[in-house]
């Protein structure tokens, strides 16, 4: 059983798309995504510096476009404006995305089209950037290691929010930068603090104004029920209703991400292989610590395509053609 996972904000890095442009089908897909989002994704993915792509309005469309294009490269599914049903329905044991990665997961599962996911992420990124700029400067820091209860207590003691509970000994604290600095100066025992490359306290009440903007955009979409089991960040549950899935993604902007529960569901469902689409690395790292025995591949560059295709062949359900 294969699950596909899509990374969230903070996974981006300067120049990350440059090698992908040489892969057949990827450049046209990214140029189309740029037209849909109104963001120059090719430039930002090749020549923009770290500060530029840290901008939420840039990072989020960049991540969703990268996720979709890289999975299409794995599956050879580059028909113009094609949906995912033929490439994924019945083959994947599940699909999920971390934070903004949920919008890519919605498209892969068939709830929305690629273009609809890209339009929604453009609204989401811009709205969250405005929300972050409207109040005190905020951010997020990963707390790695330590006793889980002590970590949560320390985050609360400093007036911060556990915005991402990721499993594998990782919790992300969010809030004002001065409080994050105080946490870093007084970390929980046996834990270390790493500031994340994000521009706001995502998945907290700071983002409440962005929820209304994203809801207005979502109201223009008619979602379909997923054709591939879809994991929800809200509680790790598998969602069978397209309307419910879209509503959850809208609300999640201002609510904590429970990736630990998503991984718990993967284990309960008997997942044997996990493919993290580009820019991969973070979610496979978590999986190695929390899903022992599950084979993982992270799409960090096109050099990983052969390994990804091999993983799909060995862990995904075969197509009718492959069964012949």
């Amino acid at each position: 059983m294969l699950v596909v996972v899509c990374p969230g904000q903070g996974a981006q890095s300067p120049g990350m798309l440059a090698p992908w442009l040489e892969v057949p089908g990827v450049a046209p897909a990214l140029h189309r995504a740029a037209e849909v989002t109104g963001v120059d994704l090719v430039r930002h993915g090749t020549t923009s510096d770290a500060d530029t792509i840290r901008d939420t309005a840039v990072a989020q469309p960049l991540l969703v476009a990268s996720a979709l294009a890289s999975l299409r490269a794995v599956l050879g599914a580059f028909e113009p404006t094609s949906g995912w049903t033929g490439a994924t329905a019945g083959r994947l044991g599940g699909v999920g995305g971390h934070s903004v990665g949920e919008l890519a997961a919605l498209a892969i599962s068939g709830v929305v089209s690629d273009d609809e996911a890209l339009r929604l992420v453009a609204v989401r990124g811009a709205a969250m950037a405005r929300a972050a700029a409207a109040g005190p400067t905020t951010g997020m820091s990963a707390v790695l290691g330590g006793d889980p209860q002590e970590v949560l207590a320390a985050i609360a003691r400093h007036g911060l929010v556990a915005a991402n509970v990721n499993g594998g000994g990782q919790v992300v604290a969010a809030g004002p930068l001065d409080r994050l600095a105080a946490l870093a100066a007084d970390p929980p025992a046996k834990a270390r603090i790493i500031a994340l490359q994000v521009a706001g306290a995502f998945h907290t009440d700071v983002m409440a104004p962005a929820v209304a903007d994203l809801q207005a955009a979502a109201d223009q979409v008619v979602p379909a029920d997923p054709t591939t089991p879809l994991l929800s960040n809200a509680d790790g549950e598998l969602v069978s209703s397209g309307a419910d899935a879209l509503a959850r993604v809208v609300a999640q902007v201002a609510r904590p991400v429970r990736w630990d529960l998503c991984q718990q569901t993967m284990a309960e469902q008997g997942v044997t292989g996990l493919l993290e689409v580009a820019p991969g690395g973070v979610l496979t790292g978590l999986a190695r610590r929390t899903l022992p025995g599950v084979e993982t591949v992270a799409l960090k560059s096109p050099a990983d395509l052969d390994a990804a295709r091999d993983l799909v062949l060995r862990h995904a359900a075969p197509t009718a053609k492959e069964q012949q």
Side-chain angles (χ1 to χ4, degrees), residues 91 309 312-313 316-324:
R91 304 205 69 199
R309 290 167 182 150
V312 171
L313 286 174
T319 63
K321 183 178 180 180
E322 291 167 343
Q323 289 176 324
Q324 293 175 353

Side-chain angles (χ1 to χ4, degrees), residues 23 87 114-115 121 150 167 179 208 220 228 259 285 290-291 302 308 324:
V23 177
D114 283 20
D115 282 2
V121 78
E150 291 181 7
R179 296 182 186 179
Q220 306 305 309
T228 294
W259 192 250
T290 57
L291 297 171
Q324 293 175 353

Side-chain angles (χ1 to χ4, degrees), residues 19-48:
W20 287 101
L21 296 177
E22 305 301 318
V23 177
V26 170
L30 292 174
H31 283 295
R32 178 177 176 80
E35 292 178 4
V36 173
T37 60
V39 178
D40 191 345
L41 299 174
V42 174
R43 176 172 66 85
H44 288 310
T46 56
T47 62
S48 292

